[in-house]
């Protein structure tokens, strides 16, 4: 493929990468389209050829960096042959590896700080990220209930309890965790392991109960 053609093929991803960096650095409202174009090395007109508005650009960033990973997570859950407990731990660690450890984690900070002023983006994020992720975790819990590993649970509420610490880790990363000299001892891997251990002790079906199912 000629160099110019290769450049054209890579351009959408370059624009998304530049947009993600600037949105996290400056905020969505404060970032101008021409800044994104300049960082990607193209003209503002070229940016609009791919993404007609800044809102379209942010939606594309969300789809590429989060929705894509959740879709892959659905495949991981479907293919898993071990216990529901092992699967729950795997899903949460994969969430951190694929999202929390990457630049995409800044999208969470962005939603928390600015979504109130952009309700359309909020509805989009809820439909494309929050609801699918909750459904994914809910399917893991439902599998555990059906297999007799977990006791009957209020699945929506347990999903929210599972996600709350994950969101805390991400917000810490982009607040106190980004401040030089401030160390609060937040170790994501150990925190997730501890969270899963405590949750599993709370939702596991008692041995005496398993025989009566």
């Amino acid at each position: 493929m000629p160099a110019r053609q290769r450049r054209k093929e890579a351009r959408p991803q370059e624009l998304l990468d530049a947009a993600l960096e600037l949105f996290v650095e400056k905020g969505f409202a404060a970032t101008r389209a021409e800044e994104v174009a300049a960082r990607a090395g193209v003209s503002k007109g070229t940016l609009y050829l791919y993404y007609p508005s800044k809102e379209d650009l942010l939606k594309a960033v969300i789809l590429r960096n989060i929705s894509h990973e959740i879709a892959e997570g659905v495949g991981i859950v479907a293919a898993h042959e071990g216990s529901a407990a092992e699967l729950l731990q795997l899903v949460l660690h994969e969430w951190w590896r694929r999202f929390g450890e990457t630049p995409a984690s800044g999208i969470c900070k962005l939603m928390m700080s600015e979504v109130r002023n952009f309700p359309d983006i909020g509805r989009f994020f809820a439909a494309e990220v929050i609801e699918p992720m909750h459904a994914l975790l809910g399917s893991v819990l439902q599998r555990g209930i059906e297999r007799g590993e977990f006791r009957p649970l209020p699945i929506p509420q347990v999903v929210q309890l599972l996600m709350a610490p994950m969101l805390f880790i991400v917000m810490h990363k982009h607040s106190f965790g980004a401040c030089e000299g401030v160390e609060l001892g937040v170790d994501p891997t150990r925190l997730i392991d501890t969270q899963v251990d405590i949750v599993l002790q709370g939702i596991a079906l008692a041995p005496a109960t398993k025989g009566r199912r």
Side-chain angles (χ1 to χ4, degrees):
M1 186 182 297
R4 180 174 294 181
Q5 184 64 26
R6 289 198 302 271
R7 168 69 174 163
K8 185 177 180 180
E9 293 294 328
R11 193 166 289 148
Q13 186 59 52
E14 292 171 352
L15 288 166
L16 294 180
D17 291 342
L20 175 58
E21 291 174 2
L22 283 164
F23 289 158
V24 174
E25 289 173 16
K26 301 185 62 175
F28 178 67
T31 299
R32 293 176 293 119
E34 50 264 38
E35 292 177 299
V36 176
R39 181 164 295 194
V42 300
S43 69
K44 184 178 177 180
T46 299
L47 169 62
Y48 284 135
L49 284 176
Y50 291 95
Y51 307 105
S53 71
K54 199 167 67 166
E55 287 76 12
D56 290 325
L57 182 58
L58 177 54
K59 289 178 180 179
V61 168
I62 292 168
L63 288 173
R64 179 64 185 87
N65 289 278
I66 309 180
S67 301
H68 173 76
E69 297 295 343
I70 295 175
E72 289 195 356
V74 172
I76 291 173
V77 169
H80 186 76
E81 297 180 351
S83 69
E86 294 169 340
L87 179 57
L88 181 61
Q89 186 172 39
L90 173 64
V91 167
L92 293 181
H93 276 292
E94 281 295 296
W95 185 93
W96 178 253
R97 184 179 72 82
R98 293 167 176 258
F99 176 67
E101 288 185 344
T102 72
S105 62
I107 298 173
C108 181
K109 170 197 169 188
L110 194 65
M111 291 297 108
M112 293 289 191
S113 61
E114 299 200 53
V115 72
R116 181 177 178 179
N117 297 321
F118 300 94
D120 180 59
I121 295 294
R123 288 187 289 269
F124 178 85
F125 190 82
E128 295 292 337
V129 176
I130 298 175
E131 293 172 10
M133 188 63 205
H134 282 202
L136 178 63
L137 282 173
S139 70
V140 176
L141 296 173
Q142 186 63 41
R143 180 185 299 193
I145 294 170
E146 292 173 354
R147 292 184 176 183
E149 293 182 54
F150 303 156
R151 60 186 176 85
L153 301 164
I155 290 178
Q157 286 70 40
V158 176
V159 167
Q160 291 171 347
L161 288 172
L162 287 168
M163 287 305 303
M166 309 300 290
L167 297 177
F168 160 75
I169 304 173
V170 170
M171 296 306 290
H172 173 269
K173 173 183 175 180
H174 290 278
S175 55
F176 288 102
C179 297
E180 186 176 351
V182 178
E183 179 53 61
L184 300 182
V186 177
D187 183 326
T189 300
R190 293 187 64 183
L191 194 152
I192 293 170
D193 284 338
T194 303
Q195 175 197 8
V196 172
D197 179 61
I198 292 173
V199 168
L200 288 178
Q201 290 186 51
I203 68 177
L205 196 65
T209 309
K210 290 182 180 179
R212 296 198 297 268
R213 284 179 61 85

